[in-house]
Amino acid sequence: MKVTYRYLDGREGSESFESVDEFIMLQNREIPAIDDSAKVVSVEIEGTIYTFTGNIGELFFELNK
């Protein structure tokens, strides 16, 4: 899984995770891998673009269903 995101100040970043489960686990920590307020630019899961609009916190809840 690869997530590209943009912070409120315009900085962009990208993080890769072994799986959706790893993303959920790391976001669930006291200090998450990516700040919840960062806007999602793109999400790729197993080589497929996952259509999503929102921030990292909303992506966490969407994938944690």
Side-chain angles (χ1 to χ4, degrees):
M1 175 178 179
K2 182 177 179 182
V3 180
T4 303
Y5 52 90
R6 182 177 300 121
Y7 288 110
L8 298 174
D9 65 4
R11 291 179 297 134
E12 281 201 13
S14 183
E15 293 284 338
S16 294
F17 304 92
E18 290 291 322
S19 64
V20 171
D21 289 339
E22 183 186 38
F23 168 76
I24 291 169
M25 177 192 68
L26 294 175
Q27 284 303 113
N28 211 18
R29 291 185 173 176
E30 185 174 334
I31 299 174
I34 307 170
D35 189 276
D36 286 340
S37 66
K39 181 179 175 8
V40 174
V41 175
S42 67
V43 179
E44 185 178 311
I45 300 174
E46 296 180 4
T48 303
I49 298 298
Y50 182 79
T51 304
F52 180 81
T53 303
N55 64 30
I56 294 293
E58 292 165 332
L59 178 64
F60 169 81
F61 287 115
E62 171 80 17
L63 297 176
N64 200 29
K65 288 183 183 177

